Amino acid sequence: GSALSASAATKATKTRHFSEHVVGVRLSMAGSRYEDVYRVKTSPDGGGAMIQDASLNGTTFPVSGHDTTIRFFRDGAQTTKDSFTLTPPSTDGTGTITGSGTCTGGSGVHSTENCSYSFKGTYDLRTAVTVITFTGTDTRPVVRTPARAR
């Protein structure tokens, strides 16, 4: 009876396209490793915050790197893993960042979420500000609200 219904409900999933816009600043840098924090300004999950722990694979531009992030939303936390490339900065200190990533777990609705995305944006060496837009797809369980008793 109800155990079967609960099991069937958790297997239903929904795939959607998404776009997310973040603005962040560098907190620290030590050698090739750095940490940034971001405000998630627009996302299917609403506003939130993101912490990025990253490492560069070299010291000469263009330089590639990889990171892990955790995004905090009202409906749970989402973890991701990314790879990216920074172009050489122009004379005013700005350059571009491009990359791709996948979801790696989390809590709440993000605990069983699968996602993949690409991203592009800009970084500024003078101000330490980075602006990025992510686009991709995610698949997560459909959350069904139980019918209310009358």
Side-chain angles (χ1 to χ4, degrees):
S2 64
L4 179 58
S5 298
S7 175
T10 60
K11 293 184 184 208
T13 61
K14 180 177 183 178
T15 299
R16 63 183 176 170
H17 294 280
F18 72 90
S19 179
E20 183 175 276
H21 185 72
V22 302
V23 177
V25 66
R26 173 97 0 101
L27 280 185
S28 64
M29 184 154 194
S32 65
R33 299 187 62 79
Y34 64 92
E35 181 179 49
D36 287 358
V37 293
Y38 293 85
R39 176 179 176 209
V40 180
K41 295 183 78 164
T42 58
S43 164
D45 297 298
M50 179 175 87
I51 299 171
Q52 174 194 37
D53 289 306
S55 182
L56 300 176
N57 298 330
T59 57
T60 307
F61 288 99
V63 65
S64 63
H66 58 279
D67 69 23
T68 58
T69 74
I70 184 166
R71 290 167 169 85
F72 299 94
F73 297 106
R74 192 171 292 157
D75 60 1
Q78 175 190 62
T79 57
T80 67
K81 188 174 188 177
D82 305 319
S83 59
F84 58 87
T85 301
L86 302 174
T87 63
S90 63
T91 56
D92 68 358
T94 60
T96 61
I97 180 172
T98 58
S100 61
T102 59
C103 293
T104 58
S107 66
V109 300
H110 304 285
S111 63
T112 58
E113 178 178 34
N114 291 308
C115 77
S116 61
Y117 51 84
S118 61
F119 56 89
K120 61 182 176 179
T122 59
Y123 69 89
D124 188 324
L125 294 176
R126 294 171 299 121
T127 63
V129 171
T130 302
V131 178
I132 302 172
T133 298
F134 299 83
T135 56
T137 59
D138 75 351
T139 303
R140 63 174 71 167
V142 173
V143 177
R144 294 204 168 97
T145 305
R148 292 185 180 176
R150 295 182 186 234

